[in-house]
Amino acid sequence: MQFILFFVCIVTLVDCEMKVLRPPELVDRLGSKVQNALPNFGVIPFGHRLMGYVDMAEPNDGCSALQSAYSSQFIMMGRGNCSLVTKVLNAEKAGYSLAIIGNNNESPLESDLVMEDDGQGYLVNIPSIIISQRDFFIMKDYVKRLGVLEVSDEKVFTLVKFDVQKTSRVLVTLSLDVSDRDSYRVVDEFSQYYDLLKNEEVGYKIGYKIFDGNSFGKDLDYQIDSDNCICSRRYCAIDPDGEGVASGRNIVEEVLRQSCIFENDGKEYFLYMNAFNFKCTKAQAYNICGNKIINTLKLSADKINNCIETSFLDISNHHVTKNYTIAYNFILDQQLHSADFAGMVGVPSVAVNSVVYKGQLTGKGIFGEICNSFITPPSVCRSEVENYQQFESEGQHYLFWVMLFVSILIAIFIIVLYLLFKKFVLRDSVEVTQVQVNEMVSQYIKFNEGKSQQRQSSF
Ligand SMILES: *[C@@H]1O[C@H](CO)[C@@H](O)[C@H](O)[C@H]1NC(C)=O
Ligand SMILES: *[C@@H]1O[C@H](CO)[C@@H](O)[C@H](O)[C@H]1NC(C)=O
């Protein structure tokens, strides 16, 4: 039960931080931070910092092949004329490690970026950021002064930090949709990293897209078909095939099964999801197909069924019931809350410590974000964390203190030993001299006695 930690979570769309460091004149004009947003493609190095000189793309829109990067790491271009993905791919091909794209309208950043992936986004391996039109125009003036082939300290120099929220225990939220194949891809890709992290301080929460059919219809004067719901329209899902035989009810039931499998055993969940993706394609057969997988893979069928059955409670007395018309389901209730935020960013999506993952959603990418969200990353994260030695040297630091402590102990031991030694040696020498003194005294007495005897005999 404690495995899925549900709570209404406040999602913070924390973006990266961009600062212009040089030239000072530009820093004065822009202020210390440049507003920006991240698109939903590309590989974003969460927890890392990139620093570099900036070139201007030629042509400015970055829609055609660009001159190879020479001394700069970043490239700037204007939005428009082609997709963002095309621009960033051109930047990557030219050898840049970051594309800075200036917006082409005054609307706030973020508002229209969600759908920017044109389907080729998975090809992009570098990050990109979008800055406001105002900042773009200011920066452009300075960036354009020096060409790609000119090497100079006068070039615009910037720092970009892809921040995460660091905690000692990392909370991962996966938002999924039972009938969405991309959800299964993400789960499948993440599975090996779940294994890697199984002994680490990571908590998981899996949210599925369902909704409350009673509140849904209210303001629309429309009632959702009860076929798409269970428990008197308490839990509904969108009909997966419109006119077809499947209904939202099939989805809701599968959400409950998958939630129970995960709650019971995370490892079994990943096995189930993998098989489900390949074998269960028709929503109307989810129930039969899902149970078949549970049996074939020898998952804990009894526990899973028990979890499902005991999650329906009578509205009036909160006892387990089989009459669903008068029941609520506490697992699905938790899912309704998590759905609130799932809808906000689309499905599938992942949030690590409430920071929504941006960029192309891959298992490795999620792993990287989790690793960088630890205050002290575990050793399985070695490959994902910049300057991992830093954490190892913290270990060496620890070793240093242990060695210092041991050295002090040895020193104290030696001093004590010395003192004891000294004490015994002194006592020995006292004893020796005492004996000698006694001897001398007795000799003296004998001598005197002898003398007086001599004197007596001489009388
Ligand atoms: C788009 O193309 C037009 C015509 O070639 C050009 O004038 C304009 O500057 C381009 N847009 C950007 C953002 O570079
Ligand atoms: C479920 O409860 C409702 C309301 O109390 C009742 O009308 C209905 O007959 C019950 N159904 C079953 C199968 O017991």
Side-chain angles (χ1 to χ4, degrees):
M1 202 70 35
Q2 71 278 22
F3 210 82
I4 310 185
L5 299 163
F6 283 99
F7 53 85
V8 182
C9 100
I10 303 155
V11 177
T12 45
L13 288 158
V14 175
D15 286 314
C16 75
E17 190 179 295
M18 175 175 167
K19 277 182 183 171
V20 172
L21 303 177
R22 288 203 296 269
E25 199 188 320
L26 176 58
V27 178
D28 286 346
R29 286 196 58 192
L30 279 174
S32 62
K33 283 179 194 169
V34 180
Q35 286 287 322
N36 66 75
L38 299 175
N40 59 341
F41 61 85
V43 174
I44 299 185
F46 279 102
H48 294 236
R49 297 161 164 239
L50 303 179
M51 245 193 255
Y53 291 109
V54 187
D55 283 335
M56 191 68 210
E58 189 49 54
N60 284 3
D61 57 18
C63 289
S64 42
L66 299 164
Q67 183 167 12
S68 294
Y70 190 68
S71 69
S72 299
Q73 293 72 33
F74 304 165
I75 187 157
M76 236 169 97
M77 37 185 107
R79 194 173 173 189
N81 289 356
C82 62
S83 74
L84 286 183
V85 172
T86 306
K87 292 171 196 282
V88 183
L89 273 175
N90 285 334
E92 184 180 346
K93 277 182 202 143
Y96 290 97
S97 52
L98 173 79
I100 301 170
I101 297 159
N103 208 358
N104 57 356
N105 58 61
E106 293 290 348
S107 62
L109 294 169
E110 229 10 289
S111 60
D112 60 348
L113 288 177
V114 178
M115 299 311 291
E116 271 298 344
D117 184 349
D118 63 358
Q120 303 286 300
Y122 66 94
L123 295 171
V124 179
N125 293 307
I126 63 165
S128 53
I129 61 173
I130 323 288
I131 62 172
S132 71
Q133 190 172 37
R134 173 190 163 270
D135 290 344
F136 176 62
F137 285 150
I138 298 173
M139 274 186 81
K140 201 163 90 168
D141 281 347
Y142 290 84
V143 173
K144 271 165 90 172
R145 287 179 193 170
L146 292 154
V148 172
L149 294 175
E150 281 171 286
V151 181
S152 164
D153 278 349
E154 306 287 299
K155 277 193 168 182
V156 173
F157 190 65
T158 59
L159 163 71
V160 178
K161 280 198 315 200
F162 295 91
D163 280 335
V164 286
Q165 215 169 311
K166 287 185 192 283
T167 49
S168 48
R169 181 178 167 80
V170 176
L171 180 69
V172 181
T173 313
L174 298 167
S175 293
L176 309 172
D177 184 340
V178 160
S179 53
D180 164 55
R181 295 294 131 184
D182 208 28
S183 291
Y184 292 88
R185 175 190 63 81
V186 170
V187 167
D188 192 35
E189 281 187 17
F190 183 66
S191 148
Q192 58 169 304
Y193 300 105
Y194 176 85
D195 285 348
L196 265 182
L197 290 164
K198 68 174 180 289
N199 297 321
E200 311 302 339
E201 286 290 311
V202 186
Y204 294 91
K205 183 173 110 167
I206 297 200
Y208 286 96
K209 227 172 95 178
I210 57 169
F211 59 91
D212 178 348
N214 295 314
S215 63
F216 180 80
K218 256 178 204 154
D219 40 339
L220 291 164
D221 196 26
Y222 164 83
Q223 200 170 40
I224 185 132
D225 192 339
S226 66
D227 270 0
N228 292 319
C229 309
I230 64 168
C231 298
S232 310
R233 293 198 179 84
R234 271 171 200 274
Y235 316 105
C236 307
I238 293 166
D239 191 326
D241 61 357
E243 296 292 299
V245 277
S247 67
R249 179 189 296 252
N250 303 126
I251 305 289
V252 177
E253 286 168 356
E254 185 55 28
V255 165
L256 182 57
R257 183 170 20 254
Q258 292 187 5
S259 302
C260 273
I261 296 173
F262 186 74
E263 197 166 313
N264 181 55
D265 184 338
K267 184 88 194 132
E268 287 192 1
Y269 175 79
F270 286 100
L271 289 171
Y272 176 86
M273 293 296 276
N274 185 294
F276 190 91
N277 186 25
F278 287 107
K279 302 213 170 89
C280 309
T281 46
K282 293 192 181 78
Q284 64 270 28
Y286 279 173
N287 190 22
I288 297 166
C289 188
N291 279 317
K292 217 176 191 172
I293 291 171
I294 291 175
N295 293 328
T296 319
L297 296 178
K298 297 191 168 57
L299 307 185
S300 325
D302 291 346
K303 285 184 181 165
I304 295 163
N305 288 330
N306 186 52
C307 165
I308 294 171
E309 281 165 19
T310 57
S311 62
F312 289 97
L313 305 179
D314 190 310
I315 305 165
S316 48
N317 60 20
H318 308 288
H319 290 157
V320 173
T321 180
K322 283 195 178 353
N323 187 345
Y324 294 172
T325 38
I326 51 152
Y328 68 97
N329 183 293
F330 66 88
I331 293 175
L332 293 174
D333 271 344
Q334 291 157 341
Q335 289 295 355
L336 284 180
H337 290 303
S338 68
D340 291 345
F341 105 86
M344 194 175 132
V345 286
V347 171
S349 67
V350 174
V352 179
N353 284 346
S354 304
V355 178
V356 174
Y357 183 91
K358 296 298 199 66
Q360 158 120 33
L361 208 48
T362 61
K364 193 175 181 331
I366 300 166
F367 177 61
E369 193 184 354
I370 294 173
C371 280
N372 283 286
S373 298
F374 281 107
I375 290 170
T376 309
S379 58
V380 293
C381 287
R382 187 183 307 271
S383 61
E384 298 297 321
V385 179
E386 199 170 301
N387 298 326
Y388 189 79
Q389 299 92 305
Q390 179 192 327
F391 298 99
E392 287 181 317
S393 65
E394 258 172 32
Q396 280 164 12
H397 228 68
Y398 171 74
L399 206 68
F400 168 79
W401 286 111
V402 168
M403 281 173 74
L404 189 72
F405 181 65
V406 170
S407 313
I408 290 172
L409 272 188
I410 292 173
I412 291 172
F413 182 65
I414 290 172
I415 291 168
V416 169
L417 212 64
Y418 172 69
L419 288 176
L420 284 174
F421 174 70
K422 214 171 140 187
K423 204 173 162 195
F424 280 117
V425 167
L426 276 180
R427 208 164 72 198
D428 269 4
S429 64
V430 167
E431 274 167 10
V432 167
T433 46
Q434 202 67 49
V435 171
Q436 284 169 343
V437 167
N438 289 349
E439 218 168 299
M440 277 159 74
V441 169
S442 61
Q443 272 172 12
Y444 178 76
I445 293 169
K446 269 182 202 157
F447 173 72
N448 275 339
E449 274 175 358
K451 251 176 143 181
S452 56
Q453 270 170 10
Q454 268 177 6
R455 206 176 293 151
Q456 271 170 8
S457 60
S458 66
F459 278 106

